[in-house]
Amino acid sequence: MEKKDKKKGHNAVVILLNLAAMLIITVFLLVFVFRWIKNYTRHGQHIEVPTLTGMDQESAAAALAGTGLTLEVSDFRYEASAKEGEIVEQHPKAGSYVKEGRIIYLTINTGRIPTKPVPDVADNSSLRAAESKLRAAGFRLTEPEYIPGDLDWVYELKYNDRTIHRGEELPEGSLITIVVGNGDPDMEIEEVDQSTTIDSEFFQD
């Protein structure tokens, strides 16, 4: 009986030790996992994104040096108020807090006004249709220039006082003049001399 009691006591101790060991291992694993997650996500470590707009790409790279951030040009567009090569937009925006290693995407000013093809409306459109197509293409319009011809029929387009040729491209937003008829065709009618001149030799034998 005494041996059985001792054996039971020994088994209980072993079970308690095993439970204690499992508890210690579990706690250790949890601490390890949480520390690993914290390090992996850099919990609490944030970097403020500096202002890069208005700089060129080289200056922006220098501004990010040592911050743990990198830059990448993602787009180009034209901004009339900015210089060629100037950064006109950044993402994330300045003042944002990001983690180390984050890429800052930049949009660079091309410095060149984009061109667009002029719609083919000369000699095949009415004034209203031509105005609609030209405005939809991104062009601005002056007051129409009227010439003798069919009413509101488009005869030609002008840019800087010169005729625009078919298929020509112009800077977006260019000012175009539509030349249209005023409804009073200028018809030059040549007078026909109906008198007949007969050579005098006709009456001679």
Side-chain angles (χ1 to χ4, degrees), residues 5-153:
D5 292 338
K6 287 183 179 181
K7 188 174 182 180
K8 287 182 180 180
H10 176 74
N11 290 338
V13 171
V14 171
I15 292 172
L16 290 173
L17 289 175
N18 288 336
L19 289 174
M22 291 176 63
L23 181 62
I24 292 171
I25 292 172
T26 301
V27 171
F28 174 79
L29 287 175
L30 288 173
V31 171
F32 174 79
V33 169
F34 281 121
R35 285 187 176 180
W36 179 83
I37 292 174
K38 183 177 180 180
N39 291 332
Y40 180 78
T41 59
R42 297 181 177 88
H43 181 71
Q45 298 180 18
H46 294 93
I47 302 168
E48 184 176 358
V49 178
T51 300
L52 303 178
T53 53
M55 299 182 181
D56 56 30
Q57 192 173 346
E58 185 177 348
S59 300
L64 292 184
T67 63
L69 305 176
T70 58
L71 59 81
E72 181 178 317
V73 177
S74 61
D75 197 10
F76 293 89
R77 74 163 183 252
Y78 174 72
E79 289 282 351
S81 59
K83 298 178 182 178
E84 182 177 358
E86 185 175 316
I87 298 169
V88 293
E89 188 176 337
Q90 67 179 79
H91 182 77
K93 295 181 178 180
S96 302
Y97 287 91
V98 298
K99 295 172 184 177
E100 185 179 350
R102 179 67 183 270
I103 298 174
I104 310 301
Y105 295 96
L106 308 177
T107 299
I108 307 293
N109 184 35
T110 61
R112 297 182 298 276
I113 302 176
T115 60
K116 287 191 172 183
V118 179
D120 182 18
V121 295
D123 209 25
N124 63 21
S125 301
S126 66
L127 174 60
R128 181 175 295 180
E131 288 177 332
S132 177
K133 289 179 181 179
L134 290 167
R135 287 196 175 101
F139 296 105
R140 297 177 298 130
L141 302 175
T142 67
E143 288 295 319
E145 178 182 323
Y146 290 93
I147 61 173
D150 295 335
L151 181 63
D152 285 344
W153 183 252

